[in-house]
Amino acid sequence: APIGIFDSGVGGLSVFRHLARLMPNERYVYYADTQNVPYGNKSGDEILFLTLQAVDWLCKQGCKLIVIACNSASAHSLTALRARCSVPIVGLVPAVKPACEITTSGQIAVLATQATLQGRLLQQVIDEIATPKGVTVHKHFEPMLVPWVESGMPIDHHVADLLIKQTAAWHEAGIDVIVLGCTHYPFFKEFLQAWIDDSHLSMALLDSGTAIAERVRSLLEYFGLSADSSERDAVLYFYASSLADHVVTTAKRLSGTRMVFV
Ligand code: DGN
């Protein structure tokens, strides 16, 4: 049986890349709700409704485990999904915990969508981990980032400038770790890291990809659901609720693997 992956758009492909690296023998079914992207500025109830629909569809495809590869959707649906589904559900929360472990200035920034920043999940992590350690968390959202990644992330675009200006401002404010709290953001990690290095700043960029892949592997092992290790490259079956031309091009470029579009 395949592993299901859900995101509002192509962002979850950043999670898929980690999954495929760690578990290359698995099959993956990806559902991108491109008809309704972006989720970041929708209400919690709307996000919950759309996520339940998507997950029901993934369950019908016979998925043995489902990754909600979207911080915004996880923030508003994990409890309901776990009550509703019989397969394990893995969700994402911004990587505040590892950020608290590596910050030396005690100031970190979480860059995420409005939906993620307003959700209870993130606040819980801040209250339980950051606050007791005396780490200050600066929350920030930039609504243009997700559409920018969805459109193929042209580097000469004004959103790229915005991102750099914001990073410079964070550095000025003493922030030394930036948490990329949306699954679309790891795709610009290399670009931003190159700018940080060229500017000789000491700032780290963190996302949740590796930790999620390890969590999925250990759950599959625990439930005895891992694929047998016959020689096979990870295959990704990519479904989108609206298949505009750029979705296919962007998804192909970002997935880094063999894909089947349905
Ligand atoms: N990729 C989603 C996330 O991780 O929050 C959000 C994308 C969106 O729809 N705004």
Side-chain angles (χ1 to χ4, degrees):
I3 293 173
I5 305 175
F6 167 65
D7 182 35
S8 57
V10 296
L13 291 171
S14 72
V15 178
F16 162 74
R17 292 176 76 142
H18 286 279
L19 293 168
R21 210 170 298 144
L22 200 62
M23 290 159 286
N25 300 310
E26 298 286 349
R27 269 188 310 130
Y28 298 87
V29 176
Y30 189 106
Y31 183 94
D33 191 8
T34 43
Q35 197 173 356
N36 295 298
V37 71
Y39 276 14
N41 45 0
K42 291 188 175 15
S43 74
D45 283 348
E46 251 179 302
I47 294 176
L48 173 63
F49 176 78
L50 294 170
T51 306
L52 290 181
Q53 277 189 323
V55 168
D56 279 350
W57 185 86
L58 284 168
C59 285
K60 281 201 198 102
Q61 311 309 308
C63 293
K64 60 185 173 185
L65 178 149
I66 294 171
V67 183
I68 308 301
C70 174
N71 292 266
S72 313
S74 298
H76 296 280
S77 69
L78 276 186
T79 316
L81 286 175
R82 289 193 173 129
R84 183 183 173 103
C85 302
S86 55
V87 298
I89 304 283
V90 177
L92 263 82
V93 65
V96 168
K97 194 176 173 192
C100 288
E101 279 156 22
I102 64 168
T103 177
T104 53
S105 68
Q107 306 230 47
I108 68 169
V110 176
L111 184 59
T113 67
Q114 208 171 359
T116 300
L117 296 182
Q118 287 169 351
R120 280 228 317 280
L121 216 52
L122 175 64
Q123 198 51 49
Q124 209 174 316
V125 180
I126 293 175
D127 293 345
E128 285 170 14
I129 294 160
T131 310
K133 280 197 147 102
V135 174
T136 309
V137 180
H138 301 257
K139 296 177 176 177
H140 187 84
F141 77 93
E142 170 40 62
M144 287 308 292
L145 286 172
V146 165
W148 179 54
V149 173
E150 287 288 319
S151 73
M153 225 174 48
I155 287 308
D156 55 354
H157 196 272
H158 72 95
V159 176
D161 295 335
L162 271 181
L163 189 59
I164 281 170
K165 284 211 185 82
Q166 184 57 50
T167 307
W170 277 326
H171 182 258
E172 283 290 298
I175 287 163
D176 64 352
V177 186
I178 303 172
V179 176
L180 302 176
C182 166
T183 54
H184 281 71
Y185 301 169
F187 291 122
F188 59 68
K189 193 174 184 178
E190 210 176 302
F191 162 75
L192 192 56
Q193 190 65 55
W195 181 82
I196 289 173
D197 295 345
D198 289 349
S199 315
H200 306 289
L201 307 181
S202 151
M203 293 176 98
L205 301 174
L206 286 184
D207 65 74
S208 319
T210 313
I212 289 302
E214 275 159 13
R215 172 91 186 124
V216 169
R217 182 168 66 176
S218 75
L219 277 174
L220 290 179
E221 278 169 11
Y222 177 81
F223 288 109
L225 292 171
S226 310
D228 58 30
S229 51
S230 52
E231 293 292 311
R232 178 170 60 187
D233 288 338
V235 184
L236 178 66
Y237 295 87
F238 187 91
Y239 296 77
S241 54
S242 157
L243 206 54
D245 286 352
H246 76 270
V247 176
V248 178
T249 324
T250 309
K252 273 196 181 139
R253 189 159 62 85
L254 298 181
S255 72
T257 191
R258 197 150 61 88
M259 287 180 94
V260 180
F261 285 91
V262 195

